[in-house]
PDB file of all heavy atoms in Angstrom:
ATOM      1  N   VAL A 143     -61.006  18.578  16.730  1.00  0.00           N
ATOM      2  CA  VAL A 143     -62.353  18.042  16.957  1.00  0.00           C
ATOM      3  C   VAL A 143     -62.440  16.726  16.186  1.00  0.00           C
ATOM      4  O   VAL A 143     -61.776  16.557  15.164  1.00  0.00           O
ATOM      5  CB  VAL A 143     -63.463  19.010  16.446  1.00  0.00           C
ATOM      6  CG1 VAL A 143     -63.557  20.210  17.337  1.00  0.00           C
ATOM      7  CG2 VAL A 143     -63.235  19.423  15.003  1.00  0.00           C
ATOM      8  N   GLN A 144     -63.247  15.821  16.690  1.00  0.00           N
ATOM      9  CA  GLN A 144     -63.322  14.525  16.022  1.00  0.00           C
ATOM     10  C   GLN A 144     -64.039  14.635  14.685  1.00  0.00           C
ATOM     11  O   GLN A 144     -65.164  15.125  14.622  1.00  0.00           O
ATOM     12  CB  GLN A 144     -64.045  13.520  16.917  1.00  0.00           C
ATOM     13  CG  GLN A 144     -63.438  12.127  16.793  1.00  0.00           C
ATOM     14  CD  GLN A 144     -64.477  11.035  16.785  1.00  0.00           C
ATOM     15  OE1 GLN A 144     -65.498  11.161  17.439  1.00  0.00           O
ATOM     16  NE2 GLN A 144     -64.228   9.970  16.052  1.00  0.00           N
ATOM     17  N   LEU A 145     -63.392  14.230  13.632  1.00  0.00           N
ATOM     18  CA  LEU A 145     -64.015  14.282  12.315  1.00  0.00           C
ATOM     19  C   LEU A 145     -63.298  13.295  11.398  1.00  0.00           C
ATOM     20  O   LEU A 145     -62.090  13.391  11.193  1.00  0.00           O
ATOM     21  CB  LEU A 145     -63.909  15.700  11.739  1.00  0.00           C
ATOM     22  CG  LEU A 145     -64.867  16.001  10.596  1.00  0.00           C
ATOM     23  CD1 LEU A 145     -65.272  17.458  10.634  1.00  0.00           C
ATOM     24  CD2 LEU A 145     -64.254  15.694   9.241  1.00  0.00           C
ATOM     25  N   ILE A 146     -64.055  12.339  10.912  1.00  0.00           N
ATOM     26  CA  ILE A 146     -63.470  11.342  10.013  1.00  0.00           C
ATOM     27  C   ILE A 146     -64.123  11.506   8.645  1.00  0.00           C
ATOM     28  O   ILE A 146     -65.350  11.433   8.537  1.00  0.00           O
ATOM     29  CB  ILE A 146     -63.678   9.910  10.553  1.00  0.00           C
ATOM     30  CG1 ILE A 146     -62.971   9.771  11.912  1.00  0.00           C
ATOM     31  CG2 ILE A 146     -63.142   8.866   9.572  1.00  0.00           C
ATOM     32  CD1 ILE A 146     -63.387   8.561  12.715  1.00  0.00           C
ATOM     33  N   PRO A 147     -63.337  11.795   7.595  1.00  0.00           N
ATOM     34  CA  PRO A 147     -63.947  11.967   6.272  1.00  0.00           C
ATOM     35  C   PRO A 147     -64.534  10.656   5.754  1.00  0.00           C
ATOM     36  O   PRO A 147     -64.011   9.575   6.060  1.00  0.00           O
ATOM     37  CB  PRO A 147     -62.778  12.429   5.400  1.00  0.00           C
ATOM     38  CG  PRO A 147     -61.561  11.971   6.109  1.00  0.00           C
ATOM     39  CD  PRO A 147     -61.883  11.937   7.565  1.00  0.00           C
ATOM     40  N   ASP A 148     -65.604  10.736   4.992  1.00  0.00           N
ATOM     41  CA  ASP A 148     -66.187   9.531   4.401  1.00  0.00           C
ATOM     42  C   ASP A 148     -65.297   9.006   3.279  1.00  0.00           C
ATOM     43  O   ASP A 148     -65.220   7.807   3.042  1.00  0.00           O
ATOM     44  CB  ASP A 148     -67.588   9.853   3.876  1.00  0.00           C
ATOM     45  CG  ASP A 148     -68.496  10.320   4.995  1.00  0.00           C
ATOM     46  OD1 ASP A 148     -68.954   9.466   5.768  1.00  0.00           O
ATOM     47  OD2 ASP A 148     -68.713  11.548   5.134  1.00  0.00           O
ATOM     48  N   TYR A 149     -64.648   9.940   2.576  1.00  0.00           N
ATOM     49  CA  TYR A 149     -63.702   9.572   1.512  1.00  0.00           C
ATOM     50  C   TYR A 149     -62.451  10.419   1.698  1.00  0.00           C
ATOM     51  O   TYR A 149     -62.556  11.631   1.918  1.00  0.00           O
ATOM     52  CB  TYR A 149     -64.277   9.866   0.127  1.00  0.00           C
ATOM     53  CG  TYR A 149     -65.603   9.221  -0.165  1.00  0.00           C
ATOM     54  CD1 TYR A 149     -66.786   9.917   0.052  1.00  0.00           C
ATOM     55  CD2 TYR A 149     -65.674   7.924  -0.683  1.00  0.00           C
ATOM     56  CE1 TYR A 149     -68.023   9.332  -0.222  1.00  0.00           C
ATOM     57  CE2 TYR A 149     -66.897   7.341  -0.959  1.00  0.00           C
ATOM     58  CZ  TYR A 149     -68.073   8.052  -0.729  1.00  0.00           C
ATOM     59  OH  TYR A 149     -69.288   7.473  -1.011  1.00  0.00           O
ATOM     60  N   ASN A 150     -61.300   9.774   1.564  1.00  0.00           N
ATOM     61  CA  ASN A 150     -60.037  10.488   1.735  1.00  0.00           C
ATOM     62  C   ASN A 150     -59.071  10.081   0.632  1.00  0.00           C
ATOM     63  O   ASN A 150     -58.888   8.895   0.362  1.00  0.00           O
ATOM     64  CB  ASN A 150     -59.470  10.133   3.121  1.00  0.00           C
ATOM     65  CG  ASN A 150     -58.070  10.668   3.340  1.00  0.00           C
ATOM     66  OD1 ASN A 150     -57.699  11.717   2.800  1.00  0.00           O
ATOM     67  ND2 ASN A 150     -57.280   9.960   4.116  1.00  0.00           N
ATOM     68  N   GLY A 151     -58.458  11.078   0.000  1.00  0.00           N
ATOM     69  CA  GLY A 151     -57.475  10.790  -1.054  1.00  0.00           C
ATOM     70  C   GLY A 151     -56.189  10.242  -0.474  1.00  0.00           C
ATOM     71  O   GLY A 151     -55.796   9.106  -0.753  1.00  0.00           O
ATOM     72  N   PHE A 152     -55.538  11.043   0.359  1.00  0.00           N
ATOM     73  CA  PHE A 152     -54.248  10.669   0.935  1.00  0.00           C
ATOM     74  C   PHE A 152     -54.150  11.183   2.360  1.00  0.00           C
ATOM     75  O   PHE A 152     -54.646  12.262   2.663  1.00  0.00           O
ATOM     76  CB  PHE A 152     -53.094  11.309   0.152  1.00  0.00           C
ATOM     77  CG  PHE A 152     -53.073  10.999  -1.309  1.00  0.00           C
ATOM     78  CD1 PHE A 152     -53.711  11.836  -2.226  1.00  0.00           C
ATOM     79  CD2 PHE A 152     -52.376   9.888  -1.787  1.00  0.00           C
ATOM     80  CE1 PHE A 152     -53.672  11.569  -3.581  1.00  0.00           C
ATOM     81  CE2 PHE A 152     -52.334   9.617  -3.151  1.00  0.00           C
ATOM     82  CZ  PHE A 152     -52.986  10.460  -4.054  1.00  0.00           C
ATOM     83  N   THR A 153     -53.474  10.419   3.212  1.00  0.00           N
ATOM     84  CA  THR A 153     -53.173  10.888   4.570  1.00  0.00           C
ATOM     85  C   THR A 153     -51.771  11.481   4.555  1.00  0.00           C
ATOM     86  O   THR A 153     -50.845  10.890   4.000  1.00  0.00           O
ATOM     87  CB  THR A 153     -53.267   9.707   5.550  1.00  0.00           C
ATOM     88  OG1 THR A 153     -54.615   9.193   5.472  1.00  0.00           O
ATOM     89  CG2 THR A 153     -52.992  10.139   6.975  1.00  0.00           C
ATOM     90  N   VAL A 154     -51.651  12.692   5.136  1.00  0.00           N
ATOM     91  CA  VAL A 154     -50.332  13.335   5.194  1.00  0.00           C
ATOM     92  C   VAL A 154     -49.950  13.574   6.656  1.00  0.00           C
ATOM     93  O   VAL A 154     -50.786  13.509   7.543  1.00  0.00           O
ATOM     94  CB  VAL A 154     -50.298  14.671   4.402  1.00  0.00           C
ATOM     95  CG1 VAL A 154     -50.458  14.429   2.914  1.00  0.00           C
ATOM     96  CG2 VAL A 154     -51.347  15.653   4.915  1.00  0.00           C
ATOM     97  N   GLY A 155     -48.679  13.886   6.886  1.00  0.00           N
ATOM     98  CA  GLY A 155     -48.186  14.172   8.224  1.00  0.00           C
ATOM     99  C   GLY A 155     -48.503  15.603   8.614  1.00  0.00           C
ATOM    100  O   GLY A 155     -49.184  16.322   7.879  1.00  0.00           O
ATOM    101  N   ASN A 156     -47.987  16.013   9.767  1.00  0.00           N
ATOM    102  CA  ASN A 156     -48.300  17.352  10.265  1.00  0.00           C
ATOM    103  C   ASN A 156     -47.358  18.401   9.679  1.00  0.00           C
ATOM    104  O   ASN A 156     -46.616  19.052  10.386  1.00  0.00           O
ATOM    105  CB  ASN A 156     -48.224  17.353  11.796  1.00  0.00           C
ATOM    106  CG  ASN A 156     -48.970  18.538  12.380  1.00  0.00           C
ATOM    107  OD1 ASN A 156     -49.656  19.245  11.659  1.00  0.00           O
ATOM    108  ND2 ASN A 156     -48.814  18.755  13.665  1.00  0.00           N
ATOM    109  N   GLU A 157     -47.396  18.563   8.361  1.00  0.00           N
ATOM    110  CA  GLU A 157     -46.566  19.564   7.698  1.00  0.00           C
ATOM    111  C   GLU A 157     -47.431  20.369   6.754  1.00  0.00           C
ATOM    112  O   GLU A 157     -48.475  19.885   6.315  1.00  0.00           O
ATOM    113  CB  GLU A 157     -45.422  18.894   6.938  1.00  0.00           C
ATOM    114  CG  GLU A 157     -45.903  17.792   6.000  1.00  0.00           C
ATOM    115  CD  GLU A 157     -44.797  16.831   5.603  1.00  0.00           C
ATOM    116  OE1 GLU A 157     -43.638  17.135   5.848  1.00  0.00           O
ATOM    117  OE2 GLU A 157     -45.129  15.775   5.038  1.00  0.00           O
ATOM    118  N   PHE A 158     -47.024  21.590   6.480  1.00  0.00           N
ATOM    119  CA  PHE A 158     -47.833  22.458   5.634  1.00  0.00           C
ATOM    120  C   PHE A 158     -47.505  22.184   4.172  1.00  0.00           C
ATOM    121  O   PHE A 158     -46.360  22.260   3.751  1.00  0.00           O
ATOM    122  CB  PHE A 158     -47.589  23.925   5.979  1.00  0.00           C
ATOM    123  CG  PHE A 158     -48.733  24.803   5.563  1.00  0.00           C
ATOM    124  CD1 PHE A 158     -49.844  24.945   6.383  1.00  0.00           C
ATOM    125  CD2 PHE A 158     -48.710  25.465   4.344  1.00  0.00           C
ATOM    126  CE1 PHE A 158     -50.917  25.731   5.998  1.00  0.00           C
ATOM    127  CE2 PHE A 158     -49.783  26.257   3.950  1.00  0.00           C
ATOM    128  CZ  PHE A 158     -50.879  26.386   4.783  1.00  0.00           C
ATOM    129  N   VAL A 159     -48.535  21.863   3.413  1.00  0.00           N
ATOM    130  CA  VAL A 159     -48.325  21.489   2.014  1.00  0.00           C
ATOM    131  C   VAL A 159     -49.041  22.464   1.081  1.00  0.00           C
ATOM    132  O   VAL A 159     -50.017  23.109   1.467  1.00  0.00           O
ATOM    133  CB  VAL A 159     -48.811  20.045   1.742  1.00  0.00           C
ATOM    134  CG1 VAL A 159     -48.034  19.045   2.585  1.00  0.00           C
ATOM    135  CG2 VAL A 159     -50.309  19.898   2.005  1.00  0.00           C
ATOM    136  N   VAL A 160     -48.549  22.569  -0.133  1.00  0.00           N
ATOM    137  CA  VAL A 160     -49.145  23.481  -1.122  1.00  0.00           C
ATOM    138  C   VAL A 160     -49.310  22.783  -2.470  1.00  0.00           C
ATOM    139  O   VAL A 160     -48.742  21.726  -2.704  1.00  0.00           O
ATOM    140  CB  VAL A 160     -48.272  24.755  -1.326  1.00  0.00           C
ATOM    141  CG1 VAL A 160     -48.139  25.555  -0.036  1.00  0.00           C
ATOM    142  CG2 VAL A 160     -46.889  24.396  -1.879  1.00  0.00           C
ATOM    143  N   GLY A 161     -50.078  23.421  -3.345  1.00  0.00           N
ATOM    144  CA  GLY A 161     -50.247  22.932  -4.704  1.00  0.00           C
ATOM    145  C   GLY A 161     -51.591  22.279  -4.927  1.00  0.00           C
ATOM    146  O   GLY A 161     -52.318  21.972  -3.980  1.00  0.00           O
ATOM    147  N   TYR A 162     -51.939  22.084  -6.192  1.00  0.00           N
ATOM    148  CA  TYR A 162     -53.193  21.442  -6.586  1.00  0.00           C
ATOM    149  C   TYR A 162     -54.363  22.110  -5.853  1.00  0.00           C
ATOM    150  O   TYR A 162     -55.242  21.469  -5.307  1.00  0.00           O
ATOM    151  CB  TYR A 162     -53.127  19.942  -6.287  1.00  0.00           C
ATOM    152  CG  TYR A 162     -54.157  19.110  -7.013  1.00  0.00           C
ATOM    153  CD1 TYR A 162     -54.084  18.900  -8.396  1.00  0.00           C
ATOM    154  CD2 TYR A 162     -55.214  18.520  -6.313  1.00  0.00           C
ATOM    155  CE1 TYR A 162     -55.024  18.130  -9.047  1.00  0.00           C
ATOM    156  CE2 TYR A 162     -56.164  17.736  -6.960  1.00  0.00           C
ATOM    157  CZ  TYR A 162     -56.065  17.542  -8.324  1.00  0.00           C
ATOM    158  OH  TYR A 162     -56.999  16.769  -8.968  1.00  0.00           O
ATOM    159  N   GLY A 163     -54.348  23.443  -5.820  1.00  0.00           N
ATOM    160  CA  GLY A 163     -55.412  24.211  -5.175  1.00  0.00           C
ATOM    161  C   GLY A 163     -55.040  24.755  -3.808  1.00  0.00           C
ATOM    162  O   GLY A 163     -55.566  25.771  -3.372  1.00  0.00           O
ATOM    163  N   LEU A 164     -54.131  24.079  -3.106  1.00  0.00           N
ATOM    164  CA  LEU A 164     -53.768  24.535  -1.757  1.00  0.00           C
ATOM    165  C   LEU A 164     -52.714  25.631  -1.823  1.00  0.00           C
ATOM    166  O   LEU A 164     -51.777  25.558  -2.616  1.00  0.00           O
ATOM    167  CB  LEU A 164     -53.220  23.375  -0.925  1.00  0.00           C
ATOM    168  CG  LEU A 164     -54.265  22.374  -0.479  1.00  0.00           C
ATOM    169  CD1 LEU A 164     -54.290  21.180  -1.402  1.00  0.00           C
ATOM    170  CD2 LEU A 164     -53.996  21.907   0.933  1.00  0.00           C
ATOM    171  N   ASP A 165     -52.884  26.619  -0.945  1.00  0.00           N
ATOM    172  CA  ASP A 165     -51.992  27.786  -0.996  1.00  0.00           C
ATOM    173  C   ASP A 165     -51.176  27.951   0.271  1.00  0.00           C
ATOM    174  O   ASP A 165     -51.489  27.398   1.322  1.00  0.00           O
ATOM    175  CB  ASP A 165     -52.825  29.058  -1.150  1.00  0.00           C
ATOM    176  CG  ASP A 165     -53.554  29.421   0.161  1.00  0.00           C
ATOM    177  OD1 ASP A 165     -54.276  28.556   0.702  1.00  0.00           O
ATOM    178  OD2 ASP A 165     -53.369  30.551   0.650  1.00  0.00           O
ATOM    179  N   TYR A 166     -50.158  28.776   0.143  1.00  0.00           N
ATOM    180  CA  TYR A 166     -49.564  29.423   1.314  1.00  0.00           C
ATOM    181  C   TYR A 166     -49.564  30.912   0.972  1.00  0.00           C
ATOM    182  O   TYR A 166     -48.982  31.305  -0.053  1.00  0.00           O
ATOM    183  CB  TYR A 166     -48.130  28.934   1.584  1.00  0.00           C
ATOM    184  CG  TYR A 166     -47.487  29.763   2.671  1.00  0.00           C
ATOM    185  CD1 TYR A 166     -47.985  29.732   3.977  1.00  0.00           C
ATOM    186  CD2 TYR A 166     -46.421  30.622   2.398  1.00  0.00           C
ATOM    187  CE1 TYR A 166     -47.448  30.514   4.966  1.00  0.00           C
ATOM    188  CE2 TYR A 166     -45.875  31.416   3.395  1.00  0.00           C
ATOM    189  CZ  TYR A 166     -46.390  31.355   4.676  1.00  0.00           C
ATOM    190  OH  TYR A 166     -45.866  32.148   5.661  1.00  0.00           O
ATOM    191  N   ALA A 167     -50.249  31.731   1.782  1.00  0.00           N
ATOM    192  CA  ALA A 167     -50.388  33.163   1.514  1.00  0.00           C
ATOM    193  C   ALA A 167     -50.865  33.414   0.075  1.00  0.00           C
ATOM    194  O   ALA A 167     -50.352  34.297  -0.619  1.00  0.00           O
ATOM    195  CB  ALA A 167     -49.076  33.886   1.792  1.00  0.00           C
ATOM    196  N   GLN A 168     -51.824  32.615  -0.361  1.00  0.00           N
ATOM    197  CA  GLN A 168     -52.467  32.703  -1.672  1.00  0.00           C
ATOM    198  C   GLN A 168     -51.574  32.256  -2.833  1.00  0.00           C
ATOM    199  O   GLN A 168     -51.995  32.299  -3.988  1.00  0.00           O
ATOM    200  CB  GLN A 168     -53.027  34.119  -1.956  1.00  0.00           C
ATOM    201  CG  GLN A 168     -54.083  34.578  -0.952  1.00  0.00           C
ATOM    202  CD  GLN A 168     -55.285  33.626  -0.860  1.00  0.00           C
ATOM    203  OE1 GLN A 168     -55.678  32.999  -1.849  1.00  0.00           O
ATOM    204  NE2 GLN A 168     -55.853  33.484   0.322  1.00  0.00           N
ATOM    205  N   ARG A 169     -50.370  31.800  -2.562  1.00  0.00           N
ATOM    206  CA  ARG A 169     -49.490  31.336  -3.629  1.00  0.00           C
ATOM    207  C   ARG A 169     -49.564  29.819  -3.790  1.00  0.00           C
ATOM    208  O   ARG A 169     -49.988  29.128  -2.880  1.00  0.00           O
ATOM    209  CB  ARG A 169     -48.033  31.678  -3.301  1.00  0.00           C
ATOM    210  CG  ARG A 169     -47.730  33.147  -3.360  1.00  0.00           C
ATOM    211  CD  ARG A 169     -46.330  33.383  -2.837  1.00  0.00           C
ATOM    212  NE  ARG A 169     -46.057  34.802  -2.757  1.00  0.00           N
ATOM    213  CZ  ARG A 169     -45.503  35.502  -3.736  1.00  0.00           C
ATOM    214  NH1 ARG A 169     -45.150  34.910  -4.857  1.00  0.00           N
ATOM    215  NH2 ARG A 169     -45.296  36.798  -3.598  1.00  0.00           N
ATOM    216  N   PHE A 170     -49.079  29.363  -4.918  1.00  0.00           N
ATOM    217  CA  PHE A 170     -48.853  27.939  -5.207  1.00  0.00           C
ATOM    218  C   PHE A 170     -50.091  27.138  -5.572  1.00  0.00           C
ATOM    219  O   PHE A 170     -50.005  25.929  -5.762  1.00  0.00           O
ATOM    220  CB  PHE A 170     -48.163  27.228  -4.019  1.00  0.00           C
ATOM    221  CG  PHE A 170     -46.811  27.789  -3.674  1.00  0.00           C
ATOM    222  CD1 PHE A 170     -46.599  28.426  -2.463  1.00  0.00           C
ATOM    223  CD2 PHE A 170     -45.756  27.685  -4.573  1.00  0.00           C
ATOM    224  CE1 PHE A 170     -45.355  28.939  -2.137  1.00  0.00           C
ATOM    225  CE2 PHE A 170     -44.509  28.203  -4.250  1.00  0.00           C
ATOM    226  CZ  PHE A 170     -44.310  28.833  -3.030  1.00  0.00           C
ATOM    227  N   ARG A 171     -51.260  27.776  -5.671  1.00  0.00           N
ATOM    228  CA  ARG A 171     -52.461  26.999  -6.026  1.00  0.00           C
ATOM    229  C   ARG A 171     -52.323  26.359  -7.405  1.00  0.00           C
ATOM    230  O   ARG A 171     -52.941  25.347  -7.698  1.00  0.00           O
ATOM    231  CB  ARG A 171     -53.693  27.910  -6.017  1.00  0.00           C
ATOM    232  CG  ARG A 171     -54.064  28.440  -4.629  1.00  0.00           C
ATOM    233  CD  ARG A 171     -55.452  29.040  -4.662  1.00  0.00           C
ATOM    234  NE  ARG A 171     -55.735  29.915  -3.542  1.00  0.00           N
ATOM    235  CZ  ARG A 171     -56.170  29.515  -2.342  1.00  0.00           C
ATOM    236  NH1 ARG A 171     -56.386  28.235  -2.120  1.00  0.00           N
ATOM    237  NH2 ARG A 171     -56.396  30.387  -1.385  1.00  0.00           N
ATOM    238  N   ASN A 172     -51.540  26.972  -8.264  1.00  0.00           N
ATOM    239  CA  ASN A 172     -51.405  26.508  -9.647  1.00  0.00           C
ATOM    240  C   ASN A 172     -50.407  25.379  -9.849  1.00  0.00           C
ATOM    241  O   ASN A 172     -50.253  24.893 -10.969  1.00  0.00           O
ATOM    242  CB  ASN A 172     -51.038  27.678 -10.567  1.00  0.00           C
ATOM    243  CG  ASN A 172     -49.818  28.462 -10.083  1.00  0.00           C
ATOM    244  OD1 ASN A 172     -49.549  28.516  -8.886  1.00  0.00           O
ATOM    245  ND2 ASN A 172     -49.108  29.066 -11.004  1.00  0.00           N
ATOM    246  N   LEU A 173     -49.748  24.931  -8.808  1.00  0.00           N
ATOM    247  CA  LEU A 173     -48.871  23.766  -8.976  1.00  0.00           C
ATOM    248  C   LEU A 173     -49.725  22.543  -9.289  1.00  0.00           C
ATOM    249  O   LEU A 173     -50.719  22.308  -8.599  1.00  0.00           O
ATOM    250  CB  LEU A 173     -48.096  23.468  -7.691  1.00  0.00           C
ATOM    251  CG  LEU A 173     -46.966  24.394  -7.263  1.00  0.00           C
ATOM    252  CD1 LEU A 173     -46.448  23.941  -5.896  1.00  0.00           C
ATOM    253  CD2 LEU A 173     -45.849  24.385  -8.284  1.00  0.00           C
ATOM    254  N   PRO A 174     -49.347  21.725 -10.263  1.00  0.00           N
ATOM    255  CA  PRO A 174     -50.173  20.544 -10.574  1.00  0.00           C
ATOM    256  C   PRO A 174     -49.941  19.369  -9.625  1.00  0.00           C
ATOM    257  O   PRO A 174     -50.563  18.329  -9.772  1.00  0.00           O
ATOM    258  CB  PRO A 174     -49.760  20.191 -12.006  1.00  0.00           C
ATOM    259  CG  PRO A 174     -48.422  20.789 -12.185  1.00  0.00           C
ATOM    260  CD  PRO A 174     -48.303  21.961 -11.258  1.00  0.00           C
ATOM    261  N   TYR A 175     -49.037  19.519  -8.675  1.00  0.00           N
ATOM    262  CA  TYR A 175     -48.740  18.457  -7.704  1.00  0.00           C
ATOM    263  C   TYR A 175     -48.810  19.034  -6.286  1.00  0.00           C
ATOM    264  O   TYR A 175     -48.962  20.245  -6.106  1.00  0.00           O
ATOM    265  CB  TYR A 175     -47.348  17.864  -7.975  1.00  0.00           C
ATOM    266  CG  TYR A 175     -46.272  18.901  -8.184  1.00  0.00           C
ATOM    267  CD1 TYR A 175     -45.697  19.565  -7.114  1.00  0.00           C
ATOM    268  CD2 TYR A 175     -45.857  19.244  -9.481  1.00  0.00           C
ATOM    269  CE1 TYR A 175     -44.720  20.528  -7.294  1.00  0.00           C
ATOM    270  CE2 TYR A 175     -44.879  20.221  -9.685  1.00  0.00           C
ATOM    271  CZ  TYR A 175     -44.316  20.857  -8.586  1.00  0.00           C
ATOM    272  OH  TYR A 175     -43.367  21.839  -8.767  1.00  0.00           O
TER     273      TYR A 175
END
Side-chain angles (χ1 to χ4, degrees):
V143 288
Q144 217 220 326
L145 198 147
I146 298 165
D148 299 283
Y149 304 94
N150 172 31
F152 304 92
T153 300
V154 293
N156 199 9
E157 52 199 347
F158 203 84
V159 299
V160 299
Y162 198 70
L164 287 98
D165 73 306
Y166 172 65
Q168 300 303 327
R169 290 172 186 268
F170 299 114
R171 293 194 198 275
N172 53 332
L173 288 175
Y175 47 79

